[in-house]
Amino acid sequence: GESVGLHLPTLSVQEGDNSIINCAYSNSASDYFIWYKQESGKGPQFIIDIRSNMDKRQGQRVTVLLNKTVKHLSLQIAATQPGDSAVYFCADPLTGPETSGSRLTFGEGTQLTVNP
Amino acid sequence: GAGVSQSPSNKVTEKGKDVELRCDPISGHTALYWYRQRLGQGLEFLIYFQGNSAPDKSGLPSDRFSAERTGESVSTLTIQRTQQEDSAVYLCASSLDGRARVEQFFGPGTRLTVL
């Protein structure tokens, strides 16, 4: 079936380095993606989103890149800080009939660890 | 409140018991979702409520699972005759409405452990 998943389960970086977290998707009809951050013991928190008519979108210290040709997303975090340590998910809102809402389809996530 | 709240934060129960999990969405949010997150995995959709419409229950894994929502307020997720495989974090999210590009705000979750 359709899926959204990540390449690596863990990523360890030094404080101050840039981090890159990757995600692959299989549904070529997907037109909108969201990155979530989940800290230990908390619910996922929205970071940034991107529509399929864009290749790149920037936020505060984060950039998302979308390559529709190979169905690949990446989240880049600049100058990674200890507070960035968390699990990062890419998600694809599955929108079907109105009664279905926009259920999010998540992959397993990448655990980012920032070493001081 | 300022965000989505859930209670209890942790629940330990014995196999075969019933449990009830509660979600208080953000005031004014008409859409409410329940998800399940098994250890080390992504979120699995369970059920969706939108206003007074009939809920979308297509993600509920078995008839032991049910959920209710009173209008546009509190929701409860009930698991009857719990099994060990029900152990997971149950997350609730709410949004202004159910459209795709409307942000879902998550609660902290209820960690359920079935012994």
Side-chain angles (χ1 to χ4, degrees), chain A residues 19-108:
Chain A
S19 303
I20 300 177
I21 300 170
N22 296 303
C23 178
Y25 63 96
S26 60
N27 184 0
S28 57
S30 295
D31 63 355
Y32 178 64
F33 301 92
I34 309 170
W35 281 96
Y36 280 87
K37 171 186 180 182
Q38 186 174 24
E39 297 176 83
S40 181
K42 298 183 180 179
Q45 179 182 13
F46 174 94
I47 302 174
I48 191 168
D49 58 0
I50 188 167
R51 301 181 183 185
S52 61
N53 61 352
M54 305 169 70
D55 297 323
K56 178 180 180 179
R57 188 166 189 213
Q58 288 185 293
Q60 186 177 17
R61 286 201 304 118
V62 295
T63 301
V64 57
L65 300 178
L66 174 61
N67 185 328
K68 294 179 287 293
T69 303
V70 296
K71 290 186 266 187
H72 180 270
L73 288 135
S74 67
L75 177 72
Q76 301 179 3
I77 304 173
T80 314
Q81 302 169 359
D84 295 327
S85 293
V87 177
Y88 289 81
F89 297 95
C90 59
D92 171 10
L94 176 65
T95 305
E98 185 176 332
T99 55
S100 299
S102 297
R103 66 186 72 177
L104 295 169
T105 302
F106 284 70
E108 290 81 13

Coordinates of all heavy atoms in Angstrom, one line a residue, chain A residues 19-108:
Chain A
S19 N 21.9 19.3 10.2 CA 21.3 17.9 10.2 C 20.5 17.8 9.0 O 19.8 18.8 8.6 CB 20.5 17.7 11.4 OG 21.2 17.9 12.6
I20 N 20.5 16.6 8.4 CA 19.6 16.3 7.2 C 18.9 15.0 7.5 O 19.5 14.0 7.7 CB 20.4 16.2 5.9 CG1 21.2 17.5 5.6 CG2 19.5 15.9 4.8 CD1 22.1 17.4 4.4
I21 N 17.6 15.1 7.5 CA 16.7 14.0 7.7 C 16.0 13.7 6.5 O 15.4 14.6 5.9 CB 15.8 14.2 8.9 CG1 16.6 14.5 10.2 CG2 14.9 13.0 9.1 CD1 15.8 14.9 11.4
N22 N 16.0 12.5 6.0 CA 15.4 12.1 4.7 C 14.1 11.3 4.9 O 13.9 10.7 5.9 CB 16.4 11.3 3.9 CG 17.6 12.1 3.5 OD1 17.5 13.2 3.0 ND2 18.8 11.6 3.9
C23 N 13.3 11.4 3.8 CA 12.0 10.7 3.8 C 11.6 10.4 2.4 O 11.8 11.2 1.5 CB 10.9 11.7 4.5 SG 9.3 11.0 4.5
A24 N 11.1 9.2 2.2 CA 10.6 8.8 0.9 C 9.1 8.5 1.0 O 8.6 8.1 2.0 CB 11.3 7.5 0.5
Y25 N 8.4 8.8 -0.1 CA 7.0 8.5 -0.2 C 6.7 7.7 -1.4 O 7.5 7.8 -2.4 CB 6.2 9.8 -0.1 CG 6.4 10.8 -1.2 CD1 5.5 10.8 -2.3 CD2 7.4 11.7 -1.2 CE1 5.7 11.7 -3.3 CE2 7.6 12.6 -2.2 CZ 6.7 12.6 -3.3 OH 6.9 13.5 -4.3
S26 N 5.6 7.0 -1.4 CA 5.3 6.2 -2.5 C 4.1 6.6 -3.4 O 4.0 6.3 -4.5 CB 5.0 4.7 -2.1 OG 4.0 4.7 -1.2
N27 N 3.3 7.5 -2.8 CA 2.1 7.9 -3.5 C 2.4 9.1 -4.4 O 2.5 10.2 -3.9 CB 1.0 8.2 -2.5 CG -0.3 8.6 -3.2 OD1 -0.4 8.6 -4.4 ND2 -1.4 8.9 -2.4
S28 N 2.4 8.9 -5.7 CA 2.8 10.0 -6.6 C 1.7 11.1 -6.7 O 2.0 12.2 -7.1 CB 3.0 9.4 -8.0 OG 1.9 8.7 -8.5
A29 N 0.5 10.8 -6.1 CA -0.6 11.7 -6.1 C -0.5 12.7 -4.9 O -1.2 13.6 -4.8 CB -1.9 11.0 -6.1
S30 N 0.4 12.4 -3.9 CA 0.5 13.2 -2.7 C 1.0 14.6 -3.1 O 1.9 14.8 -3.9 CB 1.6 12.6 -1.8 OG 1.1 11.3 -1.3
D31 N 0.3 15.6 -2.6 CA 0.6 17.0 -3.0 C 0.9 17.9 -1.8 O 1.0 19.1 -2.0 CB -0.6 17.5 -3.8 CG -1.9 17.6 -3.0 OD1 -1.9 17.2 -1.9 OD2 -2.8 18.2 -3.6
Y32 N 1.0 17.3 -0.7 CA 1.3 18.1 0.5 C 1.9 17.3 1.6 O 1.5 16.2 1.8 CB -0.1 18.7 1.0 CG 0.0 19.5 2.2 CD1 0.7 20.7 2.3 CD2 -0.7 19.1 3.4 CE1 0.7 21.5 3.4 CE2 -0.6 19.9 4.5 CZ 0.1 21.1 4.5 OH 0.1 21.9 5.7
F33 N 3.0 17.8 2.2 CA 3.7 17.1 3.2 C 4.0 17.9 4.4 O 4.1 19.2 4.3 CB 5.0 16.6 2.6 CG 4.9 15.7 1.4 CD1 4.9 16.2 0.1 CD2 4.7 14.3 1.6 CE1 4.7 15.4 -1.0 CE2 4.5 13.5 0.5 CZ 4.5 14.0 -0.8
I34 N 4.1 17.3 5.5 CA 4.3 18.0 6.8 C 5.4 17.3 7.5 O 5.5 16.1 7.6 CB 3.1 18.0 7.7 CG1 1.8 18.5 6.9 CG2 3.3 18.9 8.9 CD1 0.5 18.2 7.7
W35 N 6.3 18.1 8.2 CA 7.3 17.5 9.1 C 6.9 17.8 10.5 O 6.5 19.0 10.8 CB 8.7 18.1 8.8 CG 9.4 17.5 7.6 CD1 9.4 18.0 6.4 CD2 10.2 16.4 7.6 NE1 10.2 17.2 5.6 CE2 10.7 16.2 6.3 CE3 10.5 15.4 8.6 CZ2 11.5 15.1 6.0 CZ3 11.4 14.4 8.3 CH2 11.8 14.2 7.0
Y36 N 6.9 16.8 11.3 CA 6.6 16.9 12.7 C 7.8 16.6 13.6 O 8.7 15.7 13.2 CB 5.5 16.0 13.1 CG 4.1 16.5 12.8 CD1 3.6 16.2 11.5 CD2 3.3 17.2 13.7 CE1 2.3 16.6 11.2 CE2 2.1 17.6 13.4 CZ 1.5 17.3 12.1 OH 0.3 17.8 11.8
K37 N 7.9 17.2 14.7 CA 8.9 16.9 15.7 C 8.2 16.4 17.0 O 7.2 16.9 17.4 CB 9.7 18.2 16.1 CG 10.6 18.1 17.2 CD 11.2 19.5 17.6 CE 12.2 19.4 18.7 NZ 12.7 20.8 19.1
Q38 N 8.8 15.2 17.5 CA 8.2 14.7 18.7 C 9.2 14.5 19.8 O 10.1 13.6 19.6 CB 7.5 13.4 18.4 CG 6.7 12.8 19.6 CD 5.9 11.6 19.3 OE1 6.2 10.8 18.4 NE2 4.9 11.3 20.1
E39 N 9.2 15.3 20.8 CA 10.1 15.2 21.9 C 9.6 14.1 22.8 O 8.4 13.7 22.9 CB 10.2 16.5 22.6 CG 10.8 17.6 21.8 CD 10.8 18.9 22.5 OE1 11.8 19.2 23.3 OE2 9.9 19.7 22.2
S40 N 10.5 13.5 23.6 CA 10.1 12.4 24.5 C 9.0 12.8 25.4 O 9.0 13.8 26.1 CB 11.4 12.0 25.3 OG 11.1 11.0 26.1
G41 N 8.0 11.9 25.4 CA 6.8 12.1 26.3 C 5.8 13.2 25.9 O 4.9 13.5 26.6
K42 N 6.0 13.7 24.7 CA 5.1 14.7 24.1 C 4.5 14.2 22.8 O 4.9 13.3 22.2 CB 5.8 16.0 23.9 CG 6.4 16.6 25.2 CD 7.1 17.9 24.9 CE 7.6 18.5 26.2 NZ 8.3 19.9 25.9
G43 N 3.4 14.9 22.4 CA 2.8 14.7 21.1 C 3.6 15.3 20.0 O 4.4 16.2 20.3
P44 N 3.4 14.9 18.8 CA 4.1 15.5 17.7 C 3.7 17.0 17.6 O 2.6 17.4 17.9 CB 3.5 14.8 16.5 CG 3.0 13.5 17.0 CD 2.5 13.8 18.4
Q45 N 4.7 17.8 17.1 CA 4.5 19.2 16.9 C 4.9 19.6 15.5 O 5.9 19.2 15.0 CB 5.4 20.0 17.9 CG 5.3 21.5 17.9 CD 6.3 22.1 18.9 OE1 7.2 21.5 19.4 NE2 6.1 23.4 19.1
F46 N 4.0 20.4 14.9 CA 4.2 20.8 13.5 C 5.5 21.6 13.4 O 5.8 22.5 14.2 CB 3.0 21.7 13.1 CG 3.2 22.4 11.8 CD1 2.7 21.8 10.6 CD2 3.8 23.6 11.6 CE1 2.8 22.4 9.4 CE2 3.9 24.2 10.4 CZ 3.4 23.6 9.3
I47 N 6.3 21.3 12.4 CA 7.5 22.1 12.1 C 7.4 23.0 10.9 O 7.5 24.2 10.9 CB 8.8 21.2 11.9 CG1 9.0 20.3 13.1 CG2 10.0 22.1 11.7 CD1 10.1 19.3 12.9
I48 N 7.1 22.3 9.8 CA 7.0 23.0 8.5 C 6.3 22.1 7.5 O 6.3 20.9 7.7 CB 8.5 23.3 8.0 CG1 8.4 24.3 6.8 CG2 9.3 22.1 7.6 CD1 9.8 24.9 6.4
D49 N 5.7 22.7 6.5 CA 5.0 22.0 5.5 C 5.5 22.4 4.1 O 6.1 23.5 4.0 CB 3.5 22.1 5.6 CG 3.0 23.5 5.6 OD1 3.8 24.5 5.4 OD2 1.8 23.7 5.7
I50 N 5.1 21.7 3.1 CA 5.5 22.0 1.7 C 4.4 21.4 0.8 O 3.9 20.3 1.0 CB 6.9 21.5 1.4 CG1 7.3 22.1 0.0 CG2 7.0 20.0 1.4 CD1 8.8 21.9 -0.3
R51 N 4.1 22.2 -0.2 CA 3.1 21.8 -1.2 C 3.9 21.3 -2.4 O 5.1 21.6 -2.6 CB 2.2 22.9 -1.7 CG 1.4 23.5 -0.5 CD 0.5 24.6 -1.0 NE -0.2 25.2 0.1 CZ -1.1 26.1 0.0 NH1 -1.5 26.6 -1.2 NH2 -1.8 26.6 1.1
S52 N 3.3 20.4 -3.2 CA 4.0 19.8 -4.3 C 4.4 20.7 -5.4 O 5.2 20.4 -6.3 CB 3.1 18.6 -4.9 OG 1.9 19.1 -5.4
N53 N 3.8 22.0 -5.4 CA 4.2 22.9 -6.5 C 5.4 23.7 -6.1 O 5.8 24.7 -6.7 CB 3.0 23.9 -6.8 CG 2.6 24.7 -5.6 OD1 3.1 24.5 -4.5 ND2 1.8 25.7 -5.8
M54 N 6.1 23.3 -5.0 CA 7.3 23.9 -4.5 C 8.4 22.9 -4.4 O 8.1 21.7 -4.2 CB 7.1 24.5 -3.1 CG 5.9 25.5 -3.0 SD 5.5 25.9 -1.3 CE 6.9 26.9 -0.9
D55 N 9.6 23.3 -4.6 CA 10.8 22.4 -4.4 C 11.5 22.7 -3.1 O 12.2 21.8 -2.6 CB 11.8 22.7 -5.5 CG 11.3 22.3 -6.9 OD1 10.5 21.4 -7.0 OD2 11.6 23.1 -7.9
K56 N 11.2 23.8 -2.5 CA 12.0 24.2 -1.3 C 11.1 25.2 -0.5 O 10.4 26.0 -1.1 CB 13.3 24.8 -1.7 CG 14.1 25.3 -0.6 CD 15.4 26.0 -1.2 CE 16.3 26.5 -0.1 NZ 17.6 27.1 -0.6
R57 N 11.2 25.0 0.8 CA 10.6 26.0 1.7 C 11.4 26.1 2.9 O 11.9 25.2 3.5 CB 9.2 25.5 2.1 CG 8.4 26.6 2.8 CD 6.9 26.3 2.9 NE 6.2 27.4 3.4 CZ 5.2 27.4 4.2 NH1 4.7 26.2 4.6 NH2 4.6 28.5 4.7
Q58 N 11.6 27.4 3.3 CA 12.4 27.7 4.5 C 11.6 28.2 5.6 O 10.7 29.0 5.5 CB 13.5 28.7 4.1 CG 14.6 28.1 3.1 CD 15.7 29.0 2.9 OE1 15.5 30.0 2.2 NE2 16.9 28.8 3.3
G59 N 12.1 27.8 6.8 CA 11.5 28.3 8.0 C 12.6 28.9 8.9 O 13.7 29.1 8.4
Q60 N 12.4 28.9 10.1 CA 13.5 29.4 11.0 C 14.4 28.2 11.3 O 14.0 27.3 12.0 CB 12.8 29.9 12.4 CG 13.8 30.5 13.3 CD 13.2 31.1 14.5 OE1 12.1 30.7 14.9 NE2 13.9 31.9 15.2
R61 N 15.6 28.3 10.8 CA 16.6 27.3 10.9 C 16.3 25.9 10.2 O 17.1 25.0 10.3 CB 17.0 27.0 12.4 CG 17.8 28.0 13.1 CD 18.6 27.4 14.3 NE 17.6 26.8 15.3 CZ 17.7 25.5 15.6 NH1 18.5 24.7 15.0 NH2 16.8 25.0 16.4
V62 N 15.1 25.8 9.6 CA 14.8 24.6 9.0 C 14.4 24.9 7.5 O 13.9 25.9 7.2 CB 13.6 23.9 9.6 CG1 13.9 23.4 11.0 CG2 12.3 24.8 9.7
T63 N 14.8 23.9 6.7 CA 14.5 24.0 5.2 C 14.0 22.6 4.8 O 14.5 21.6 5.2 CB 15.8 24.3 4.4 OG1 16.3 25.6 4.9 CG2 15.4 24.4 2.9
V64 N 12.9 22.6 4.1 CA 12.4 21.3 3.5 C 12.6 21.3 2.0 O 12.3 22.3 1.4 CB 11.0 21.0 3.9 CG1 10.0 22.1 3.5 CG2 10.5 19.7 3.4
L65 N 13.1 20.3 1.5 CA 13.3 20.1 0.0 C 12.5 19.0 -0.4 O 12.4 17.9 0.2 CB 14.8 19.8 -0.3 CG 15.8 20.8 0.2 CD1 17.2 20.4 -0.2 CD2 15.6 22.2 -0.5
L66 N 11.9 19.2 -1.6 CA 11.0 18.2 -2.2 C 11.4 17.8 -3.6 O 11.6 18.7 -4.4 CB 9.5 18.7 -2.2 CG 8.5 17.8 -2.9 CD1 8.4 16.4 -2.2 CD2 7.1 18.5 -3.0
N67 N 11.7 16.6 -3.8 CA 12.1 16.1 -5.1 C 11.0 15.1 -5.6 O 11.0 14.0 -5.2 CB 13.5 15.4 -5.1 CG 13.9 15.0 -6.5 OD1 13.1 14.7 -7.4 ND2 15.2 15.0 -6.7
K68 N 10.1 15.6 -6.4 CA 9.0 14.8 -6.9 C 9.4 13.7 -7.8 O 8.7 12.7 -8.0 CB 7.9 15.8 -7.5 CG 7.3 16.7 -6.5 CD 6.3 17.6 -7.1 CE 6.9 18.7 -8.0 NZ 7.7 19.7 -7.2
T69 N 10.5 13.9 -8.5 CA 10.9 13.0 -9.5 C 11.2 11.6 -8.8 O 10.9 10.6 -9.3 CB 12.2 13.5 -10.3 OG1 11.8 14.7 -10.9 CG2 12.6 12.4 -11.3
V70 N 11.9 11.7 -7.7 CA 12.3 10.5 -7.0 C 11.5 10.3 -5.7 O 11.7 9.4 -4.9 CB 13.8 10.5 -6.6 CG1 14.6 10.4 -7.9 CG2 14.2 11.7 -5.8
K71 N 10.4 11.1 -5.5 CA 9.5 11.0 -4.4 C 10.3 11.0 -3.1 O 10.2 10.0 -2.3 CB 8.6 9.8 -4.6 CG 7.6 10.0 -5.7 CD 6.6 8.8 -5.8 CE 7.1 7.8 -6.7 NZ 6.2 6.7 -7.0
H72 N 11.0 12.1 -2.9 CA 11.9 12.2 -1.7 C 11.8 13.6 -1.1 O 11.7 14.6 -1.8 CB 13.3 11.9 -2.2 CG 14.3 12.0 -1.1 ND1 15.0 13.2 -0.8 CD2 14.8 11.0 -0.3 CE1 15.8 12.9 0.2 NE2 15.7 11.6 0.5
L73 N 11.8 13.6 0.2 CA 11.8 14.8 1.0 C 13.0 14.8 1.9 O 13.4 13.8 2.4 CB 10.6 14.9 1.9 CG 9.2 15.1 1.4 CD1 8.2 14.2 2.0 CD2 8.7 16.5 1.7
S74 N 13.4 16.0 2.2 CA 14.5 16.1 3.3 C 14.2 17.3 4.1 O 13.6 18.3 3.7 CB 15.9 16.2 2.7 OG 16.1 17.4 2.0
L75 N 14.5 17.2 5.4 CA 14.4 18.3 6.4 C 15.8 18.6 6.8 O 16.6 17.8 7.3 CB 13.6 17.8 7.6 CG 13.5 18.9 8.7 CD1 12.6 20.0 8.2 CD2 13.0 18.3 10.0
Q76 N 16.2 19.9 6.6 CA 17.5 20.3 7.0 C 17.4 21.3 8.1 O 16.6 22.2 8.1 CB 18.2 21.0 5.8 CG 18.4 20.1 4.6 CD 19.0 20.8 3.4 OE1 19.4 21.9 3.5 NE2 19.1 20.1 2.3
I77 N 18.2 21.0 9.2 CA 18.2 21.8 10.4 C 19.6 22.5 10.5 O 20.6 21.8 10.5 CB 17.9 21.0 11.7 CG1 16.6 20.3 11.5 CG2 17.8 21.9 12.9 CD1 16.3 19.3 12.7
A78 N 19.6 23.8 10.4 CA 20.9 24.5 10.5 C 21.3 24.7 11.9 O 20.5 24.9 12.8 CB 20.7 25.8 9.8
A79 N 22.6 24.6 12.2 CA 23.2 24.9 13.5 C 22.4 24.1 14.6 O 21.8 24.8 15.5 CB 23.2 26.4 13.8
T80 N 22.4 22.8 14.5 CA 21.6 22.0 15.4 C 21.9 22.2 16.8 O 23.1 22.3 17.2 CB 21.8 20.5 15.0 OG1 21.8 20.3 13.6 CG2 20.7 19.7 15.6
Q81 N 20.9 22.3 17.6 CA 21.0 22.6 19.1 C 20.5 21.4 19.9 O 19.7 20.6 19.4 CB 20.2 23.8 19.4 CG 20.6 25.1 18.6 CD 19.6 26.2 18.8 OE1 18.6 26.1 19.5 NE2 19.9 27.3 18.1
P82 N 20.9 21.3 21.1 CA 20.5 20.2 22.0 C 18.9 20.1 22.0 O 18.4 19.0 22.1 CB 21.1 20.5 23.3 CG 22.3 21.3 23.0 CD 22.0 22.1 21.8
G83 N 18.3 21.2 22.0 CA 16.8 21.2 22.0 C 16.2 20.6 20.7 O 15.0 20.4 20.7
D84 N 17.0 20.4 19.7 CA 16.5 19.8 18.5 C 16.4 18.3 18.6 O 15.8 17.6 17.8 CB 17.4 20.2 17.3 CG 17.3 21.6 17.0 OD1 16.3 22.3 17.2 OD2 18.4 22.2 16.5
S85 N 17.0 17.7 19.7 CA 16.9 16.3 19.9 C 15.5 15.8 20.0 O 14.8 16.3 20.9 CB 17.7 15.9 21.1 OG 19.1 16.1 21.0
A86 N 15.1 14.9 19.2 CA 13.7 14.5 19.1 C 13.6 13.4 18.0 O 14.5 13.2 17.3 CB 12.8 15.6 18.8
V87 N 12.4 12.9 17.9 CA 12.1 12.1 16.7 C 11.4 12.9 15.7 O 10.5 13.7 16.0 CB 11.2 10.9 17.1 CG1 10.8 10.1 15.8 CG2 11.8 10.0 18.1
Y88 N 11.8 12.8 14.4 CA 11.2 13.6 13.4 C 10.5 12.7 12.4 O 11.0 11.7 12.0 CB 12.3 14.4 12.6 CG 12.9 15.5 13.5 CD1 13.9 15.2 14.4 CD2 12.5 16.8 13.3 CE1 14.4 16.2 15.3 CE2 13.0 17.8 14.2 CZ 13.9 17.5 15.1 OH 14.4 18.5 15.9
F89 N 9.3 13.1 12.1 CA 8.4 12.4 11.2 C 8.1 13.2 10.0 O 7.8 14.4 10.1 CB 7.1 12.0 11.8 CG 7.2 11.1 13.0 CD1 7.2 11.6 14.3 CD2 7.2 9.7 12.9 CE1 7.3 10.8 15.4 CE2 7.2 8.9 14.0 CZ 7.3 9.4 15.2
C90 N 8.0 12.6 8.8 CA 7.3 13.3 7.7 C 6.0 12.6 7.6 O 5.8 11.5 8.0 CB 8.1 13.1 6.4 SG 8.4 11.4 5.9
A91 N 5.0 13.4 7.2 CA 3.6 13.0 7.2 C 2.9 13.4 6.0 O 3.2 14.5 5.4 CB 2.9 13.4 8.4
D92 N 2.0 12.6 5.5 CA 1.2 12.9 4.3 C -0.2 12.9 4.7 O -0.8 11.8 5.1 CB 1.5 11.8 3.3 CG 0.7 11.9 2.1 OD1 -0.1 12.8 1.9 OD2 0.7 10.9 1.3
P93 N -0.9 14.0 4.7 CA -2.3 14.0 5.0 C -3.1 13.3 3.9 O -3.1 13.7 2.8 CB -2.7 15.5 5.1 CG -1.4 16.2 5.1 CD -0.4 15.4 4.4
L94 N -3.8 12.2 4.3 CA -4.5 11.5 3.4 C -5.9 12.1 3.3 O -6.7 12.0 4.3 CB -4.6 10.0 3.8 CG -5.5 9.1 2.9 CD1 -4.9 9.0 1.5 CD2 -5.5 7.7 3.5
T95 N -6.3 12.7 2.3 CA -7.6 13.3 2.2 C -8.5 12.5 1.2 O -8.2 12.4 0.0 CB -7.5 14.7 1.7 OG1 -6.6 15.4 2.6 CG2 -8.8 15.4 1.8
G96 N -9.5 12.0 1.8 CA -10.5 11.2 0.9 C -11.8 11.9 1.0 O -11.9 13.1 0.9
P97 N -12.9 11.1 1.2 CA -14.2 11.7 1.3 C -14.2 12.7 2.5 O -13.4 12.6 3.4 CB -15.1 10.5 1.6 CG -14.3 9.3 1.0 CD -12.9 9.7 1.2
E98 N -15.2 13.6 2.4 CA -15.2 14.6 3.5 C -15.3 14.0 4.9 O -14.8 14.6 5.8 CB -16.5 15.5 3.2 CG -16.6 16.7 4.2 CD -17.8 17.6 3.8 OE1 -18.1 17.6 2.6 OE2 -18.3 18.2 4.7
T99 N -15.9 12.9 5.0 CA -16.1 12.3 6.3 C -14.8 11.7 6.8 O -14.7 11.3 8.0 CB -17.1 11.1 6.2 OG1 -16.7 10.2 5.2 CG2 -18.5 11.6 5.9
S100 N -13.8 11.6 6.0 CA -12.5 11.0 6.4 C -11.6 12.0 7.0 O -10.5 11.7 7.6 CB -11.8 10.3 5.3 OG -12.6 9.3 4.8
G101 N -11.9 13.3 6.9 CA -10.9 14.3 7.4 C -9.6 14.2 6.7 O -9.5 13.8 5.6
S102 N -8.6 14.6 7.4 CA -7.2 14.6 6.8 C -6.3 13.8 7.7 O -5.4 14.3 8.3 CB -6.7 16.0 6.7 OG -7.5 16.7 5.8
R103 N -6.6 12.5 7.8 CA -5.8 11.6 8.6 C -4.3 11.7 8.2 O -4.0 11.7 7.0 CB -6.3 10.2 8.6 CG -6.1 9.6 7.2 CD -6.8 8.2 7.2 NE -8.2 8.3 7.2 CZ -9.0 7.2 7.1 NH1 -8.5 6.0 7.0 NH2 -10.3 7.3 7.1
L104 N -3.4 11.7 9.1 CA -2.0 11.8 8.8 C -1.4 10.4 8.7 O -1.7 9.5 9.6 CB -1.3 12.6 9.9 CG -1.7 14.1 10.0 CD1 -1.1 14.7 11.2 CD2 -1.2 14.8 8.7
T105 N -0.6 10.2 7.7 CA 0.1 8.9 7.6 C 1.5 9.2 7.9 O 2.2 10.0 7.2 CB 0.0 8.4 6.1 OG1 -1.4 8.2 5.8 CG2 0.7 7.0 6.0
F106 N 2.0 8.6 8.9 CA 3.4 8.8 9.4 C 4.3 7.6 9.1 O 3.8 6.5 9.1 CB 3.4 9.0 10.9 CG 3.0 10.3 11.4 CD1 1.7 10.7 11.3 CD2 3.9 11.2 12.0 CE1 1.2 11.9 11.8 CE2 3.5 12.4 12.5 CZ 2.1 12.8 12.4
G107 N 5.6 7.8 8.9 CA 6.5 6.8 8.9 C 7.0 6.5 10.3 O 6.5 7.0 11.3
E108 N 8.1 5.7 10.4 CA 8.6 5.3 11.8 C 9.3 6.5 12.4 O 9.4 6.5 13.7 CB 9.5 4.1 11.7 CG 8.8 2.8 11.3 CD 8.6 2.7 9.8 OE1 9.2 3.5 9.1 OE2 7.8 1.8 9.5

